[in-house]
Amino acid sequence: QFQLVESGGGLVQPGGSLRLSCAASGFTLDGYGIGWFRQAPGKEREAVLCISSSGGVIDYVDYSDSAKGRFTASINNAENSVDLQMTLLKPEDTGVYYCAVGCSEYAVLSWGQGTQVTVQG
């Protein structure tokens, strides 16, 4: 059973940083593509990044254009979690951030409950 729980959201000023975490249980992350998605108020959910590992080593990472250069994903094998370090945050990064088992929104096996990120001065 795939279970995901996000944490680390909050309120931050523009230019600030936040670190989100996606804790997995019921399965081992290794071998699965894990996606981070976000949904801004009044907008459709969009993909932020996709990351996967094999043998405990990250073998694939792909970032959306909006995330490149500012967001960094990593896998904590000991914690069985995927972390998302977000820097240089902008107001348009505001939204609910979800992690999921799967990198295509239409082929997700399980979603986390989401964590709110608000960027405002």
Side-chain angles (χ1 to χ4, degrees):
Q1 186 176 4
F2 302 102
Q3 293 189 350
L4 301 170
V5 178
E6 301 94 336
S7 61
L11 174 65
V12 64
Q13 293 185 339
S17 299
L18 275 177
R19 188 176 185 89
L20 307 183
S21 184
C22 172
S25 61
F27 73 108
T28 301
L29 290 170
D30 198 62
Y32 288 93
I34 302 298
W36 275 99
F37 300 81
R38 68 185 182 188
Q39 187 165 22
K43 296 187 177 180
E44 293 186 353
R45 186 155 48 193
E46 64 174 350
V48 176
L49 67 91
C50 174
I51 185 170
S52 67
S53 66
S54 179
V57 178
I58 294 174
D59 61 359
Y60 179 82
V61 183
D62 185 39
Y63 297 92
S64 66
D65 288 342
S66 63
K68 285 178 183 175
R70 300 188 300 126
F71 294 3
T72 303
S74 60
I75 295 177
N76 185 327
N77 292 308
E79 298 290 332
N80 202 35
S81 66
V82 177
D83 295 335
L84 175 58
Q85 179 68 46
M86 305 187 295
T87 63
L88 301 175
L89 284 163
K90 307 173 183 179
E92 51 264 43
D93 293 319
T94 294
V96 180
Y97 283 68
Y98 301 89
C99 62
V101 182
C103 292
S104 170
E105 185 173 2
Y106 304 101
V108 164
L109 298 177
S110 180
W111 292 94
Q113 84 288 352
T115 185
Q116 176 71 45
V117 171
T118 303
V119 185
Q120 66 180 35

